[in-house]
Amino acid sequence: MPFPWLFNRRPTPQPEERSAFANLVAPSYGGERVPPSQADRNTAVSRCVQLISNDLAKVPIRIMRAEGNAKVESSNPLISLLRKSPNVDQSAFEFRRWMTATFLIYGNSYAFIQRNGRDEVLQIIPFQPGTVSVQLSPTSGNVIYNHATMGQLAPEEILHFRFSALGDDSMVEAYSPIVRARDALGLARSQEKAGASTYKNAATPRMSLSHPGVLSDRSAQRLAEQFSQAHSGPDSAGKAIVLEEGMTAQVLSPLSLESAQWLAAREFSLQEVSRIYAVPTPMIGENSKSTYSNVTQMVKGYIDQCLSHHASMWAAEVQYKLLSPDETLEHDLSFVQRGTFSDEVASLNTAVVSGIMTPNECRARLGLNPIPGGDNLHTMPGSEILLEVEEDDDDRDAIDFGDD
């Protein structure tokens, strides 16, 4: 575990602290408790968390600076931390994946911003879930972060990512999606236990044993336990049943998983997880309604309704805590939607011919080295878009699309 000195838990939280972790093990209507620390036992939750966190960690990022009406890539040294290694123990990919996966499960993820005397960022160190709590100052109303071993930390020392805007009364911490959806996930765990129990006892149908005499409660219990031990489980399939003292056995109507609509219920639980994280069901392994024609729209919906939201939250927090007001963090989410090589080449060729991108920009997207003369825009006659603005047309300036 990285940074063990940061991950010690405080044994007794302060009463004034507001924490969205207070209800982590709240029971569900299904009777099963699903704390966030065990949420990844649900394969659908595990797949959603892995998919989102890996996708956000792998896409290219850059820091852009506003210059008039245009944007240029910034030379801010912070980009080196975010692209290579935010701290001595993690690569950029591991850090971004860790932070995203943590707030997807626990609702919040925190990292300590270590600065030197010149206020330059040296490291960004993640905190273990549950070691940070939040309180509001009763006098100023400012937010104060409390770490288990480091004590009080100012907001500008903490990078704080949230799953959603829904949270406690302080509106600082977000609720865990696992806690908010505990009834749906509790039902899913109950279904798993029911299925496991059915398969465990698959060799023994539901039966009633009848004895001609009168058995005491202790004898009846011992007889039932002996019968279950001898004939339960898949290894006992086909074993002969030996009855003594005139006993008879009667097979009751079996309660199969099919008659209980277990598979349909499991499919519904998977859809519930899909709704929690806004991940299309085919992307987490449920392909009954997916077709070849809707795959592109499915990926687009995943980017628009899921990834873009988390990327915007990352960008807003990084800009607020680490960048100047004229700088922004941008994620290239088109990297997730890349098609076949031939499709990508065709679209990039259209971009070059239309004067939208230079050849070297297109080659960079394909992972190729630049070529001489490839930094100029090229357009074919009739393919470019011209905007003509009259000189006296409300005194508006023509739109500058860049140098030819």
Side-chain angles (χ1 to χ4, degrees):
M1 178 183 296
F3 320 109
W5 61 279
L6 292 177
F7 294 162
N8 298 326
R9 294 180 179 271
R10 176 166 45 206
T12 306
Q14 299 298 321
E16 70 272 14
E17 293 171 354
R18 302 176 180 267
S19 176
F21 292 95
N23 296 319
L24 288 186
V25 292
S28 68
Y29 289 121
E32 295 293 330
R33 295 175 181 267
V34 186
S37 59
Q38 301 177 12
D40 59 353
R41 296 182 182 180
N42 184 304
T43 56
V45 171
S46 177
R47 176 56 181 158
C48 287
V49 172
Q50 291 182 37
L51 187 68
I52 298 172
S53 60
N54 285 332
D55 282 344
L56 273 184
K58 74 181 184 183
V59 299
I61 58 173
R62 58 182 181 175
I63 297 176
M64 303 299 292
R65 185 181 72 255
E67 285 191 358
N69 294 328
K71 285 185 178 180
V72 297
E73 190 162 357
S74 173
S75 58
N76 191 323
L78 180 67
I79 194 61
S80 178
L81 288 178
L82 297 178
R83 283 179 176 172
K84 296 180 180 179
S85 180
N87 52 69
V88 296
D89 288 306
Q90 287 180 305
S91 67
F93 181 89
E94 292 171 334
F95 171 78
R96 291 161 61 189
R97 180 174 61 178
W98 165 274
M99 296 296 291
T100 302
T102 301
F103 73 70
L104 288 175
I105 293 178
Y106 293 90
N108 303 270
S109 60
Y110 306 92
F112 173 64
I113 305 171
Q114 184 182 24
R115 291 183 169 92
N116 60 16
R118 295 186 298 271
D119 204 35
E120 297 170 339
V121 178
L122 300 178
Q123 291 191 97
I124 308 175
I125 306 174
F127 286 148
Q128 186 78 355
T131 60
V132 177
S133 58
V134 182
Q135 70 181 78
L136 295 176
S137 171
T139 56
S140 64
N142 295 331
V143 177
I144 300 175
Y145 292 90
N146 289 293
H147 185 260
T149 57
M150 299 179 67
Q152 285 192 359
L153 297 170
E156 58 269 18
E157 297 179 285
I158 294 291
L159 207 60
H160 182 188
F161 299 115
R162 306 165 181 81
F163 177 77
S164 68
L166 297 176
D168 62 357
D169 294 339
S170 68
M171 296 186 293
V172 176
E173 285 189 294
Y175 283 126
S176 164
I178 306 303
V179 174
R180 300 288 294 183
R182 60 180 177 269
D183 294 328
L185 297 177
L187 177 60
R189 174 167 288 189
S190 298
Q191 292 166 356
E192 289 179 351
K193 285 191 172 182
S197 177
T198 300
Y199 279 109
K200 178 181 179 181
N201 301 298
T204 306
R206 295 202 311 163
M207 301 183 65
S208 66
L209 300 177
S210 301
H211 193 281
V214 178
L215 298 177
S216 64
D217 292 343
R218 183 177 179 182
S219 298
Q221 181 179 0
R222 186 184 73 241
L223 180 62
E225 291 176 352
Q226 291 176 348
F227 185 84
S228 297
Q229 292 176 0
H231 300 285
S232 295
D235 296 335
S236 300
K239 284 186 177 180
I241 300 177
V242 180
L243 302 176
E244 300 177 352
E245 300 180 359
M247 294 179 59
T248 59
Q250 180 181 2
V251 178
L252 304 178
S253 58
L255 181 61
S256 65
L257 294 178
E258 181 179 0
S259 63
Q261 296 184 332
W262 184 79
L263 292 178
R266 292 285 292 157
E267 180 180 343
F268 177 77
S269 293
L270 189 146
Q271 294 172 0
E272 290 282 72
V273 175
S274 172
R275 280 186 278 269
I276 295 171
Y277 289 105
V279 175
T281 53
M283 301 187 73
I284 54 178
E286 206 291 292
N287 298 305
S288 61
K289 297 181 181 179
S290 61
T291 62
Y292 179 80
S293 59
N294 67 8
V295 170
T296 302
Q297 291 301 318
M298 174 192 70
V299 176
K300 186 177 184 303
Y302 165 63
I303 294 174
D304 293 343
Q305 301 171 25
C306 178
L307 283 188
S308 63
H309 296 178
H310 299 309
S312 297
M313 183 266 299
W314 263 85
E317 181 69 5
V318 169
Q319 180 187 28
Y320 181 55
K321 299 290 181 65
L322 301 175
L323 303 180
S324 61
D326 62 339
E327 292 179 323
T328 57
L329 178 69
E330 292 188 357
H331 293 74
D332 185 7
L333 298 181
S334 63
F335 191 81
V336 180
Q337 202 175 4
R338 299 179 70 171
T340 64
F341 182 76
S342 58
D343 291 340
E344 192 165 4
V345 168
S347 63
L348 292 176
N349 182 64
T350 302
V352 171
V353 171
S354 302
I356 299 174
M357 300 177 68
T358 66
N360 280 343
E361 288 174 338
C362 294
R363 291 178 63 85
R365 292 183 68 87
L366 296 175
L368 302 175
N369 293 327
I371 58 175
D375 293 323
N376 299 321
L377 291 174
H378 302 283
T379 58
M380 293 180 62
S383 64
E384 67 273 12
I385 301 176
L386 300 179
L387 290 180
E388 297 183 356
V389 181
E390 299 294 338
E391 295 181 358
D392 57 347
D393 187 9
D394 298 329
D395 295 330
R396 290 178 297 180
D397 295 331
I399 299 177
D400 184 14
F401 286 97
D403 296 333
D404 292 331

